[in-house]
Amino acid sequence: SVGSAVLAQAVAVAAVMLADGKLDEVRLWSAGLVNMAVGLVLFGYILKQGRAFVDLPLWKKTFLVAIPLIPHYLGGELLSSMDKIMIDALVGKTEAGIYSLAAVLSAIGILLWRALTVMFNPFVNAKLGSREFKTIRETVKPLMLVVGVMCVIAALAAPEIIRILATQEYLAGVAVVPPVAAGVFIHAMYDTFAAVSFFHKKSTRIMTATLTAAAVNLVGNFICINAFGYIAAGYVTLISNLVLTAMHYRNARIIEKEEIYDPKFSLLAAILVTVGCLACNLLYPCLILRYVLIAGLLALLWSQRKRVIGMLMDMKV
């Protein structure tokens, strides 16, 4: 994964530097061809190891589960990119660029969570199969703590990160970082709840939740961007993720008929991280206070390192 990502970006940069015009097309095709080549090699390897191309009963079963997931993934793409598209259309390309940079900075927590899900998803599937719900419940808590703290740190440090990575003009988008960072944490919570629906192959429920959240995002962005400006898109994204997460929590309760996750912990964590991120808008003028808070949160992570590492070791299946 790392190798193909680095190679794709390196080839794309080289192609853009050598290209004469049509930079967008060159950038997309060069990176895309690298990913396609890697994918074909892996596809061939899987076929060779599996020693069978067609398994009709398995194909039929998978096909029926997968069909509702197509609109789910399309809705997920809308949910993640609609804010930028609508800012570009309703406000302008400059504001869309500023918002996009702020959204990228907010995604520090989700990058960490994506790395953790490589171990978390197989672990949850194994424990759901053996119905060890308490193990899942206690394991997810320190992981969500780490992701939540990283989201708050990203929001606290946003002005300095923007100054390092971009020009002074991009500081106008710093107010976008807190709501989007909070939304990133809520989205990580959604992943934990959605694991139950994926395990039980309830693809229709998955699709319904995603399309509902995407519709909230679309309508909310159209109304709020026109009324309050492009900063409002960050808050609409947060609300959309809350809708998505709440629906998947309800799905998990309906499917399993009992608590898999700790609802009090989940609610408290969502409130604390959301309030902590949104409060950063008030703290941006207070440089020393922000640095103290960042140092305190890093110290908190350091103090929990053994517990988190222990949980990661226990997640091996």
Side-chain angles (χ1 to χ4, degrees):
S1 296
V2 174
S4 61
V6 172
L7 182 62
Q9 296 307 312
V11 170
V13 170
V16 167
M17 293 176 67
L18 295 172
D20 182 19
K22 296 185 177 179
L23 296 183
D24 289 341
E25 290 86 345
V26 170
R27 157 77 180 86
L28 292 171
W29 274 103
S30 54
L33 288 172
V34 171
N35 290 326
M36 288 169 62
V38 173
L40 286 172
V41 171
L42 294 176
F43 181 63
Y45 174 78
I46 291 169
L47 285 180
K48 182 180 178 181
Q49 295 297 313
R51 297 175 183 172
F53 183 65
V54 178
D55 183 338
L56 288 178
L58 184 61
W59 277 37
K60 180 180 178 181
K61 183 179 179 180
T62 305
F63 186 76
L64 293 175
V65 173
I67 286 297
L69 292 179
I70 295 174
H72 156 69
Y73 286 115
L74 289 173
E77 288 298 315
L78 284 175
L79 196 57
S80 63
S81 58
M82 184 55 64
D83 45 6
K84 306 172 192 67
I85 294 171
M86 295 191 72
I87 290 171
D88 189 353
L90 298 175
V91 184
K93 293 187 181 297
T94 300
E95 290 77 7
I98 293 172
Y99 181 92
S100 296
L101 177 65
V104 168
L105 297 182
S106 308
I108 293 175
I110 209 66
L111 291 175
L112 176 63
W113 177 247
R114 291 292 177 229
L116 291 173
T117 54
V118 174
M119 297 179 69
F120 180 77
N121 287 338
F123 166 80
V124 169
N125 287 334
K127 298 305 177 185
L128 285 172
S130 58
R131 303 193 67 77
E132 297 179 53
F133 297 159
K134 184 177 179 181
T135 304
I136 298 173
R137 188 159 50 243
E138 295 306 314
T139 301
V140 77
K141 290 179 181 179
L143 301 182
M144 296 310 298
L145 170 68
V146 172
V147 176
V149 169
M150 289 302 297
C151 288
V152 176
I153 289 175
L156 284 169
E160 286 69 36
I161 300 175
I162 290 176
R163 287 190 182 96
I164 292 171
L165 297 180
T167 57
Q168 191 72 17
E169 291 81 2
Y170 282 87
L171 277 174
V174 73
V176 172
V177 175
V180 176
V184 164
F185 177 74
I186 301 300
H187 193 82
M189 291 185 68
Y190 140 76
D191 275 337
T192 64
F193 300 148
V196 180
S197 297
F198 277 101
F199 176 79
H200 289 282
K201 299 180 176 62
K202 302 296 185 181
S203 49
T204 302
R205 288 186 176 276
I206 296 168
M207 175 191 69
T208 302
T210 303
L211 293 182
T212 301
V216 170
N217 189 271
L218 177 63
V219 175
N221 273 319
F222 181 79
I223 295 171
C224 294
I225 291 173
N226 279 318
F228 306 108
Y230 74 96
I231 300 295
Y235 292 89
V236 173
T237 297
L238 172 58
I239 293 170
S240 302
N241 282 321
L242 282 168
V243 170
L244 181 66
T245 302
M247 292 186 70
H248 273 287
Y249 172 76
R250 177 171 171 75
N251 285 343
R253 288 289 284 116
I254 292 172
I255 293 167
E256 283 291 357
K257 305 291 191 300
E258 58 182 288
E259 293 286 5
I260 297 175
Y261 301 97
D262 185 340
K264 293 181 180 178
F265 170 83
S266 299
L267 181 61
L268 182 62
I271 292 172
L272 288 177
V273 173
T274 300
V275 171
C277 288
L278 297 183
C280 292
N281 272 323
L282 303 175
L283 297 175
Y284 286 141
C286 309
L287 183 65
I288 296 176
L289 178 57
R290 285 193 294 111
Y291 285 1
V292 169
L293 289 173
I294 290 172
L297 291 173
L298 290 173
L300 175 63
L301 288 179
W302 181 256
S303 70
Q304 296 293 313
R305 69 190 186 283
K306 292 183 179 179
R307 184 185 178 194
V308 173
I309 292 171
M311 288 295 181
L312 292 175
M313 293 298 102
D314 292 340
M315 282 167 55
K316 291 183 178 179
V317 293

